[in-house]
Amino acid sequence: MPYQWPTLTNWLEQIAQPFYQQGYVILEQAIPADLCWALYQDVQHQQLTAAGVGRQGQHQLNQQVRRDHTAWLNQNNPVQQQYLQQMAQLQQDMNRRCFLGLIDFEAHYARYQQGDFYQKHLDAFVGRSNRVLSTVCYLNTLEQGGELLIYNEQDQLISRVQPNAGTLVIFESCRFPHEVLPATTTRYSIAGWFRQNSSIQGRIDPPQ
Ligand SMILES: O=C(O)CCC(=O)C(=O)O
Ligand SMILES: [Fe+2]
């Protein structure tokens, strides 16, 4: 049977309900296998650069914190556009269902080579960022290593995600500290953020 992106009805069950209950959801085979493969091929051709920490102005390389290499997705590339379109659909559904007022989605490819990690962090801080929902989609499968560990607000480990091609993780950006354990082999993913139009100190928060 050809893969079908979840319709509103089953999407409500698969994403909205656990999301409502716990603020995060892990959905296996969320991305069609052929799209996942095309993205996996596409990322190999991208010019990836060492990721930094902190927002514009304070942006700096800190290899103690993260070691991944990234490249922003854009609409001009047909494969990347397909992914962005699926996320636009998700944004619409999330707004309809959860009244989140999401206006925008930004995403980058990330490559973690053997030994690369991302220390425990939050993707957003209350009142200091307009990132509302974080998403991670895995483009290849790692049998071990490179796990995403998600913690709750009390800093207890609540989920351990083994990267699996096609799996999509969604969580509230300012609620869940998370980290990426050292990869054992090259790990490819797309990290993305849905944003609200909250202005910070009278201006729109710039992308990272
Ligand atoms: O790749 C992952 O599993 C998470 C990446 C992450 O936390 C981030 O890029 O902010
Ligand atoms: Fe993160």
Side-chain angles (χ1 to χ4, degrees), residues 160-172:
R160 200 178 176 100
V161 185
Q162 190 66 51
N164 216 329
T167 296
L168 180 68
V169 182
I170 306 173
F171 56 92
E172 287 177 57

Side-chain angles (χ1 to χ4, degrees), residues 57-106:
Q58 298 117 41
H59 190 85
Q60 53 184 297
L61 264 188
N62 188 340
Q63 299 219 308
Q64 305 311 312
V65 177
R66 68 188 296 185
R67 295 258 170 104
D68 56 327
H69 284 66
T70 62
W72 290 100
L73 265 56
N74 70 72
Q75 296 279 2
N76 302 328
N77 172 306
V79 179
Q80 297 176 21
Q81 189 190 41
Q82 272 188 60
Y83 185 79
L84 293 171
Q85 268 168 8
Q86 301 232 308
M87 290 296 135
Q89 180 66 50
L90 189 57
Q91 176 178 317
Q92 210 178 66
D93 293 344
M94 273 302 206
N95 282 343
R96 241 184 242 146
R97 174 67 177 171
C98 304
F99 307 105
L100 288 173
L102 309 172
I103 54 148
D104 176 38
F105 180 73
E106 56 180 3

Side-chain angles (χ1 to χ4, degrees), residues 107-144:
H108 63 55
Y109 281 127
R111 182 192 67 207
Y112 291 75
Q113 286 173 313
Q114 191 182 17
D116 289 351
F117 56 83
Y118 193 160
Q119 279 188 354
K120 198 196 286 183
H121 65 280
L122 280 169
D123 286 350
F125 297 92
V126 182
R128 280 218 282 134
S129 166
N130 52 4
R131 287 180 169 177
V132 182
L133 291 186
S134 299
T135 65
V136 194
C137 175
Y138 299 105
L139 303 182
N140 68 336
T141 299
L142 267 69
E143 299 302 334
Q144 56 170 14

